[in-house]
Amino acid sequence: MTLRALTFGEALIDEFEDRRIVAGAPLHVAAHLAALGWGAALVSRVGDDEDGRWLQATLEEHGVDTRHLETDPTLPTGTVTVGLDDRGVPAFTVHGPVAWDVIEGPDPVPAHDALCFGTLPMRDARSRAALERLLASSTGLRAGDANLRDPHWDEGAVRLLVTRSDLLKVSDTELPIVSRVMGTTGDPADLTLLGPEWVCVTRGRDGASLHHRSGTSWEVTGHDVEVVDTVGAGDAFLAGIVDGIVRSLPPTEALGKAAELAVSVVQQRGGLPEPNTAGPAS
């Protein structure tokens, strides 16, 4: 039976100095889950413009279900200006207001095995309300990725992320911020007492760790590879760890699979996998 995922949030165009690419964390996650054989649907909103049509065509090319991709009659498709330092680490300028700030979301909420989301679409009360409605109706694994983008997050968004996630993913630079907001010590295991069954901490070249509410934790070492850019690597990792946990893989295997997906992304330009010529999973 095909596993099904909903990914909620920003769908946009990343604008680099030398190119423009279809991007957005939930879009990347949906594409990677589709490549893993899931029936993945993106819940987002684009403008009635050329960028919106380009974005939809790209999703379809990657086998992502676009029936919940809304079109806004006035607001444009989102864009983000991306600069890279000499290590390939991105710096983002997220423009707005844009279409994904006003996502309405499907009603009723479609059946799913996982619902993936982050803090960025919570910058506007309208998309935040849609996300809260989806989370309240979700019967699947609720997978939250901090994905903190200054100044587009607040403490309320972090608290919602932590308390409503079954699986919480944070980077090692985000962990101290999330811990401060939640009043914990900085130990990832402490966050499992506030909602998540699982907490995953990514550390780039230094690997990642997975922590369970039971008090057990697992580690995976990093990979020494040439980094082209890191855009979308964390999104690929999230898709891999969601896939592993929903399929009940051994935690070490799930971590390793997620790390391999992230490594495949940092060695290329852009955060999408190879297109899925078979189309969306039925």
Side-chain angles (χ1 to χ4, degrees):
M1 184 173 65
T2 300
L3 293 171
R4 301 199 172 276
L6 297 175
T7 68
F8 180 96
E10 63 274 18
L12 49 86
I13 306 299
D14 272 349
E15 299 181 324
F16 294 81
E17 184 177 350
D18 61 341
R19 72 197 192 285
R20 304 174 81 242
I21 61 171
V22 169
L27 183 150
H28 290 151
V29 174
H32 282 283
L33 285 172
L36 292 170
W38 287 60
L42 175 66
V43 180
S44 189
R45 195 173 182 96
V46 297
D48 185 11
D49 50 34
E50 285 302 315
D51 281 347
R53 288 182 278 277
W54 176 28
L55 195 150
Q56 179 166 348
T58 302
L59 286 167
E60 291 171 350
E61 183 182 23
H62 284 80
V64 176
D65 186 343
T66 60
R67 75 186 73 184
H68 306 304
L69 183 66
E70 304 158 7
T71 300
D72 194 278
T74 54
L75 288 170
T77 299
T79 57
V80 173
T81 302
V82 186
L84 298 176
D85 66 18
D86 55 7
R87 298 171 300 157
V89 177
F92 303 94
T93 302
V94 186
H95 304 291
V98 293
W100 56 261
D101 284 316
V102 294
I103 301 168
E104 296 178 357
D107 189 9
V109 178
H112 57 276
D113 299 284
L115 170 60
C116 305
F117 67 102
T119 58
L120 188 51
M122 296 189 223
R123 73 177 184 174
D124 189 287
R126 291 163 290 186
S127 283
R128 186 183 297 208
L131 173 59
E132 291 192 73
R133 179 174 59 80
L134 266 64
L135 288 167
S137 299
S138 177
T139 56
L141 178 80
R142 297 170 300 179
D145 187 352
N147 199 27
L148 302 179
R149 296 285 181 258
D150 291 332
H152 303 286
W153 63 273
D154 57 34
E155 292 191 355
V158 172
R159 286 191 287 269
L160 190 152
L161 174 86
V162 173
T163 59
R164 304 302 296 275
S165 294
D166 303 306
L167 165 66
L168 172 66
K169 173 187 164 291
V170 297
S171 69
D172 55 347
T173 57
E174 292 168 335
L175 178 59
I177 300 170
V178 173
S179 297
R180 175 185 57 79
V181 171
M182 301 307 297
T184 60
T185 65
D187 183 340
D190 290 348
L191 294 172
T192 66
L193 305 176
L194 302 176
E197 180 179 0
W198 304 88
V199 173
C200 185
V201 181
T202 58
R203 300 185 176 88
R205 288 183 180 273
D206 295 324
S209 59
L210 183 63
H211 308 262
H212 188 259
R213 187 183 295 158
S214 65
T216 309
S217 63
W218 302 264
E219 298 267 351
V220 63
T221 58
H223 295 259
D224 187 15
V225 297
E226 182 178 352
V227 174
V228 176
D229 77 51
T230 61
V231 173
D235 309 327
F237 188 99
L238 180 63
I241 200 70
V242 166
D243 182 70
I245 287 176
V246 172
R247 295 186 190 277
S248 299
L249 296 181
T252 302
E253 183 179 341
L255 268 177
K257 185 174 188 177
E260 288 174 4
L261 282 178
V263 166
S264 71
V265 169
V266 301
Q267 296 179 91
Q268 65 179 32
R269 301 295 293 269
L272 289 167
E274 289 296 316
N276 178 1
T277 56
S282 59

